[in-house]
Structure formats: structure tokens, C-alpha cells
Amino acid sequence: GQSLEQPSEVTAVEGAIVQINCTYQTSGFYGLSWYQQHDGGAPTFLSYNALDGLEETGRFSSFLSRSDSYGYLLLQELQMKDSASYFCAVQFGNEKLTFGTGTRLTIIP
Amino acid sequence: DGGITQSPKYLFRKEGQNVTLSCEQNLNHDAMYWYRQDPGQGLRLIYYSQIVNDFQKGDIAEGYSVSREKKESFPLTVTSAQKNPTAFYLCASRRRSEDTEAFFGQGTRLTVV
């Protein structure tokens, strides 16, 4: 089957850098995406990696390595508003979009 | 403004009753999705549709049904066969392409008593 595993919880200090990992056991997908969800809210898109390597979007960067079945989201200059849940997701050619288990990020002062 | 709308935001039903959750989008997206989210959990795919009059089962389709009679609408019915229906339900849509993002509605919190 298709599974994307993430750490359930991560805690980091305001102003610091944090990495959220996503390991997967699936193949044949187009790309890896990352979404942010605040409590009670809707997930919102952060980034997309179609190719191996690093994609940078402001304070957020995302990385994909298909050979290692691994990706990560890197958040820099952490702010209190970054406290949220983060999900990786893979998109398949038949439009199926599968999400990971999710990581709850807590930022402390 | 374009977007995706789910209604109602909160829904209460008695056990054994079917209930239909609404999802409407005016983004002209072909692909639409339904996910279930339990407290502290990830998003699990129930059903998805690539195009009008076509839909596929996701990972947890048992006890649910959908229809896609119009491009804009993708309603989800939670049937009495769903053993644990209390959850947060999220609808999403996206343009059919390799690199497009999914847009989510604000969700419907269903409580079955």
C-alpha cells in the first residue's frame, strides 16, 4: 500500500530552524507536497517538489530524494504563528492525492 | 471570489441515520476529494473524482458514498453502515495537472449521537 510517515510531534524555539521529515513507501507518484493546518482550520498549500532537490519559498524550504524515499520541510526563523500541523502528500497520475500522518509543531518562546 | 464551500460547519445526527455533506467549488477544478480527519490524526482519503460522472474509492470508502453529477458539486453521504462516523470531514479540489495545489473547504464536523 501507500504510506507516508511523519513524526507525530516536534517542538522548536522561536527564531530557530526546524526540519519535519516524511518517509514514504510508495512509488510512481508525480511529486511531494507540503500543507499547513492550524487547529480547526483548513489545510493550506506550502510547497511542491516534482524533482529531487531543494525548493525554497521564503522561510520555508522543501526537499525530496526519491532514491531515499524521503523528503522534508525546513522552516527557518520560526515564529509563534508557525505552530500548526504539517502534512506531506504525494500526488499520483490518476489524480489521487494521499496525505501523511501529520506532524504537530509547537513553537516555544 | 473563487473558493470551495462546505456546509454545514457543524452537523449532529442520530446513530443509524444517513447524512449528506455538501461541497461546492467555483474554481472550475476537475478533481475533487473527500478526506476524513480524526483528532490528532492525518487526512485519510475517502473518495475522489477526476471528472464529472466519475469517481474512485480512496483508502477508507466503506460506509460512504458520493456522486459527481456537476463539475461544481461533490456531495458525500455518510451511511448507517459507517461504524464510527464522528469526525472532521474536509473537501478539496484541484486543477488536473502535475503541479497544482489542492484547495480545501473549511470542513464539516459531524457528530453522531
Side-chain angles (χ1 to χ4, degrees):
Chain A
Q2 302 150 353
S3 68
L4 296 89
E5 297 294 326
Q6 301 178 234
S8 58
E9 296 182 350
V10 172
T11 300
V13 178
E14 187 177 15
I17 300 173
V18 70
Q19 178 175 311
I20 298 174
N21 297 325
C22 174
T23 57
Y24 56 85
Q25 295 182 9
T26 189
S27 61
F29 60 89
Y30 280 157
L32 184 75
S33 303
W34 287 91
Y35 287 77
Q36 178 191 60
Q37 183 185 30
H38 287 97
D39 284 347
T44 56
F45 175 81
L46 292 176
S47 68
Y48 177 78
N49 290 72
L51 304 174
D52 283 7
L54 191 67
E55 292 284 341
E56 298 181 69
T57 309
R59 294 189 297 114
F60 296 176
S61 302
S62 57
F63 174 83
L64 174 63
S65 170
R66 291 179 188 266
S67 59
D68 294 323
S69 298
Y70 164 72
Y72 66 73
L73 179 69
L74 191 72
L75 296 80
Q76 303 181 71
E77 301 173 13
L78 287 169
Q79 303 175 10
M80 297 303 292
K81 68 179 181 180
D82 296 329
S83 290
S85 292
Y86 293 83
F87 298 91
C88 58
V90 292
Q91 180 203 321
F92 297 90
N94 63 354
E95 307 301 327
K96 184 177 183 181
L97 184 63
T98 298
F99 282 78
T101 53
T103 299
R104 186 175 184 89
L105 174 64
T106 302
I107 309 299
I108 57 176
Chain B
D1 289 337
I4 182 164
T5 303
Q6 291 185 243
S7 61
K9 189 171 183 179
Y10 298 95
L11 190 55
F12 294 86
R13 279 294 182 269
K14 290 185 177 180
E15 191 172 343
Q17 290 182 337
N18 290 357
V19 60
T20 297
L21 282 59
S22 170
C23 179
E24 302 278 333
Q25 54 97 0
N26 60 4
L27 299 167
N28 200 33
H29 288 168
D30 283 305
M32 295 189 74
Y33 306 82
W34 274 105
Y35 294 91
R36 169 183 173 137
Q37 187 173 34
D38 293 287
Q41 303 297 314
L43 283 69
R44 293 187 290 169
L45 182 62
I46 304 172
Y47 269 97
Y48 64 106
S49 169
Q50 300 179 56
I51 200 166
V52 175
N53 293 322
D54 184 59
F55 49 83
Q56 289 78 40
K57 292 182 178 180
D59 301 312
I60 56 164
E62 185 175 352
Y64 299 97
S65 66
V66 294
S67 63
R68 188 84 188 276
E69 297 176 1
K70 298 187 301 182
K71 187 176 187 177
E72 301 79 18
S73 180
F74 192 42
L76 173 74
T77 297
V78 184
T79 75
S80 56
Q82 169 51 234
K83 296 179 180 178
N84 186 18
T86 295
F88 187 50
Y89 291 88
L90 285 159
C91 179
S93 71
R94 54 183 291 276
R95 187 165 53 88
R96 288 185 64 181
S97 178
E98 291 184 18
D99 61 350
T100 58
E101 63 185 277
F103 292 84
F104 282 83
Q106 291 301 308
T108 293
R109 191 167 298 278
L110 173 65
T111 302
V112 176
V113 296

